[in-house]
Structures are given as C-alpha cells and as structure tokens.
C-alpha cells in the first residue's frame, strides 16, 4: 500500500477536525479526496505528509510509519500544500535549485531541466516566481513536489483559483504525472474528481462518508427522494402512484404516507394539487434528503467559486 490511514482522529482544541478516518491507497492509484470546505481535507494531508501529528490513529506511507520515519517518508513523498507557499522574490530556477539542495539531489541541473519540461515551465523559466500567472505558479509548485521523483504525490486543492484554461492544463498535467505515481489530491469540486481520478474518497465534517470507483460516483448522489406526507383524511394509494415520478407510496399510519420518487425530483406541488382535488388538506409535509445529497449540493454549487 502507498498510504494506509487507520482510525485517525485530530482535535484542534475542542474541535474534532477528523473523526476515526480510515482508508488506504494502492500504488499507482489517483484518488480524489473530495469534500466541502472545512471537511478536514487539508488536515488529513498535513498528517499524511508529517507536517502535523494526528491526535490518535495510525498512518503509514510507502510502508513506513509516519511517527517513526518522517524524514524517509518526506524524501519519498511530494507535497503541494494548499496555499502553495512559494518564494515570490526568487527566480524559478533559483527556487528549484534551493529545493534540490534540500533533497541533496546529485545532478540538480539535469533534473531541474527535466522537471521544467515535465510541468511545461520552459517559456517562464527565467522569470521571478512573483511575476508568474497563477497557473504558472501552480506549475512551479508541482515542479517543487516532483523534483526528487517521489513515489507518492499529495496535492491539496491544486487547481483552486485557476481560470478555466489553466484548470484544464493543470488537470491534464496531473493526469499525466499520475500515470507513473500514486496521487492523492483534494478538491471541493466534484467535476475535478471525474476529470482526473480513478477513485473518490468523500469526507464530510471529519468523517469518511463514501469510498468508491469514480465511474460509480454519480450513483452515490442519485439516491431516490423520500417525502413524508400526512393528509387529514384517507386517500387511495393509486392516486399517489399516478403522480409522475412517484415510484412507491407506503402507508405509515392511517393518513400518513411515505412517497418515494426518482432522484432530485420534487413532487410536493403535485401532492398539494392532489389534496385539493380530493378535497383534503395536507397536515404535514417533509422532504427527506439523504446526507450525500446535501453534500452533493455543496460540491456542485462551487465549480466557479
Ligand atoms: P478543508 O481542507 O477540508 O477545507 P481543514 O482540514 O482545513 O478543512 O479544516 C477542518 C476543520 O478544522 C475546519 O473546521 C477548520 O476550521 C479546522 N481547523 C483547521 N486548521 C485548524 C487550526 N490550525 N486550528 C484550529 N482549527 C483548525
Ligand atoms: Mg483545505
């Protein structure tokens, strides 16, 4: 396994940012770590890369324990932090030489040339980092993460703040890099996972709520909708089933029903209309959304954020 996380919790004071998180990632996988803002993605990544300790639980990267072998793990892991902390006053190559020095690379000139090509930085390679566009700064961040040829890449929201063209390019680049490495990337954008990843791990409020192959991801979010409706009198089941989109109608008590419809369908207006036609009133009406559906709403509302 490239990454094993077992029962990891993290407390910031009173606040539980991670709650018994477990998952593992195989060599060569590209895994999307998907969740709304504040879900605990960055916290998990900082723990995996050894920047902060877990409050409890076990983390292994490339078969090594993060508590016992943090330096060896750092040498074999590339990390692009959320804020991409670059030195804006440094020139691109100067910065990469500095990173090469940190990792004591043998033939830095050759390796820097290679990596500049890999991430497509050729035309900007002689500039100061501060003078680069956000997309090119992100390429410098990726170059930094890849320079020592790590087996595992941890990328924390690598495309946040990029314009649509840059977004496309960086996603393509990550996919290309991912052909040869294990990649875990975090995002709050569902489409990003679909564009880049093989597998998705969804985190919400510090807990893993789904872990699935990406081609099955949309199934996760298309659970049927349930509406609990109470009339003030009896109604025939057939009348409820006649409403377009209603799959099931189950009587709970004499006047109380649970209506099941296809995903994201809302038949509340039709229920009101039916009640009027039947000369009944509706005593109560509740739409029951699945937890994943709520998460789905947050994840899809933010593509352009
Ligand atoms: P994400 O990356 O998914 O947006 P984070 O891991 O950054 O989420 O944060 C998870 C939760 O932990 C949030 O509620 C955040 O406010 C809180 N948190 C993160 N870092 C700290 C910190 N250093 N001190 C206190 N709370 C923190
Ligand atoms: Mg974050």
């Amino acid at each position: 396994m490239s990454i094993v996380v077992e029962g990891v919790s993290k407390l910031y004071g009173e606040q539980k940012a991670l709650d018994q998180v477990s998952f593992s990632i195989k060599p060569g996988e590209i895994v999307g770590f998907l969740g709304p803002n504040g879900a605990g993605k960055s916290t998990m990544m900082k723990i995996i890369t050894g920047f902060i300790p877990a409050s409890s639980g076990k983390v292994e990267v490339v078969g090594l324990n993060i508590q016992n072998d943090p330096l060896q793990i750092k040498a074999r892991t590339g990390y692009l932090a959320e804020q991409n902390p670059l030195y804006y006053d440094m020139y691109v190559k100067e910065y990469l030489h500095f990173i090469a020095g940190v990792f004591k690379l043998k033939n830095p000139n050759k390796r820097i040339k290679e990596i500049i090509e890999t991430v497509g930085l050729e035309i900007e390679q002689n500039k100061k980092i501060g003078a680069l566009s956000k997309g090119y700064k992100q390429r410098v961040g990726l170059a930094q993460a890849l320079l020592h040829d790590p087996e595992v890449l941890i990328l924390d929201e690598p495309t946040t703040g990029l314009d649509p063209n840059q977004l496309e390019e960086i996603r393509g680049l990550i996919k290309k890099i991912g052909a040869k490495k294990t990649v875990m990337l975090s995002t709050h954008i569902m489409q990003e996972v679909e564009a880049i990843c093989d597998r998705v791990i969804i985190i919400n409020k510090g807990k893993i709520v789904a872990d699935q192959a990406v081609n099955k991801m949309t199934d996760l979010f298309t659970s049927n909708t349930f509406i609990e409706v109470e009339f003030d009198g009896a109604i025939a089941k057939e009348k409820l089933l006649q409403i377009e989109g209603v799959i099931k109608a189950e009587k709970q008590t004499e006047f109380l029903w649970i209506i099941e419809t296809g995903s994201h369908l809302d038949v509340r207006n039709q229920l009101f209309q039916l009640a009027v036609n039947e000369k009944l009133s509706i005593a109560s009406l509740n739409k029951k959304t699945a937890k994943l559906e709520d998460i789905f709403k947050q994840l899809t509302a933010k593509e352009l954020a």
Side-chain angles (χ1 to χ4, degrees), residues 260-294:
E260 185 179 346
T261 71
S263 65
H264 309 305
L265 271 180
D266 198 343
V267 296
R268 282 178 290 187
N269 281 333
Q270 289 92 317
L271 284 170
F272 276 113
Q273 198 52 54
L274 177 65
V276 170
N277 294 347
E278 298 293 309
K279 304 198 166 45
L280 295 171
S281 340
I282 286 179
S284 71
L285 185 67
N286 287 304
K287 187 169 174 237
K288 309 218 174 260
T289 45
K291 195 164 137 211
L292 273 168
E293 198 176 321
D294 294 334

Side-chain angles (χ1 to χ4, degrees), residues 151-280:
E151 300 148 61
V152 177
L153 265 187
I154 307 286
L155 309 175
D156 195 356
E157 305 230 13
T159 64
T160 297
L162 301 184
D163 71 34
N165 287 332
Q166 298 168 335
L167 197 76
E168 190 108 324
E169 286 167 16
I170 298 291
R171 283 179 184 173
L173 182 56
I174 293 169
K175 213 168 167 156
K176 188 177 99 186
I177 295 163
K180 294 191 195 131
K181 300 192 183 291
T182 306
V183 179
M184 178 180 183
L185 79 94
S186 72
T187 176
H188 59 272
I189 300 163
M190 210 169 81
Q191 290 86 337
E192 179 132 298
V193 175
E194 288 175 319
I196 311 177
C197 306
D198 313 318
R199 190 175 132 207
V200 62
I201 298 175
I202 303 176
I203 183 168
N204 190 46
K205 297 182 183 148
K207 289 190 172 141
I208 304 295
V209 292
D211 186 339
Q212 275 273 1
V214 162
N215 54 17
K216 298 217 179 100
M217 179 166 71
T218 35
D219 298 356
L220 287 172
F221 296 114
T222 49
S223 63
N224 291 341
T225 302
F226 295 87
I227 294 171
E228 191 186 73
V229 57
E230 188 175 11
F231 299 95
D232 64 350
I235 194 160
K237 185 170 178 162
E238 304 83 75
K239 303 263 175 182
L240 293 167
L241 290 172
Q242 270 162 17
I243 296 173
E244 202 183 328
V246 170
I247 297 164
K248 241 190 198 174
E250 281 188 358
K251 205 170 178 179
Q252 303 300 299
T253 60
E254 211 182 347
F255 303 150
L256 182 73
W257 294 81
I258 296 210
I259 313 282
E260 185 179 346
T261 71
S263 65
H264 309 305
L265 271 180
D266 198 343
V267 296
R268 282 178 290 187
N269 281 333
Q270 289 92 317
L271 284 170
F272 276 113
Q273 198 52 54
L274 177 65
V276 170
N277 294 347
E278 298 293 309
K279 304 198 166 45
L280 295 171

Side-chain angles (χ1 to χ4, degrees), residues 12 15 17 35-44 46 82 156-157:
Y12 289 117
Q15 197 200 342
N37 287 324
K41 303 181 294 297
S42 296
T43 300
M44 189 68 250
K46 285 178 200 163
E82 188 168 29
D156 195 356
E157 305 230 13

Side-chain angles (χ1 to χ4, degrees), residues 49 62 64 69-78 102-103 105 145 147-152:
T49 49
V62 295
L64 301 167
D69 298 298
L71 293 178
Q72 251 186 295
I73 289 176
K74 277 189 180 148
R76 294 169 64 182
T77 309
V102 172
F103 287 104
L105 297 190
L147 196 62
H148 57 298
D149 197 21
E151 300 148 61
V152 177

Side-chain angles (χ1 to χ4, degrees), residues 80-84 86 119 121 129 132-144 156-162 166 170 173-174:
L80 179 59
E82 188 168 29
Q83 305 299 340
N84 191 7
L86 297 169
V119 302
L121 261 173
I129 293 172
L132 302 180
S133 69
K134 173 95 194 176
Y136 277 96
K137 286 194 182 97
Q138 217 52 0
R139 288 170 200 257
V140 176
L142 282 170
Q144 163 277 133
D156 195 356
E157 305 230 13
T159 64
T160 297
L162 301 184
Q166 298 168 335
I170 298 291
L173 182 56
I174 293 169

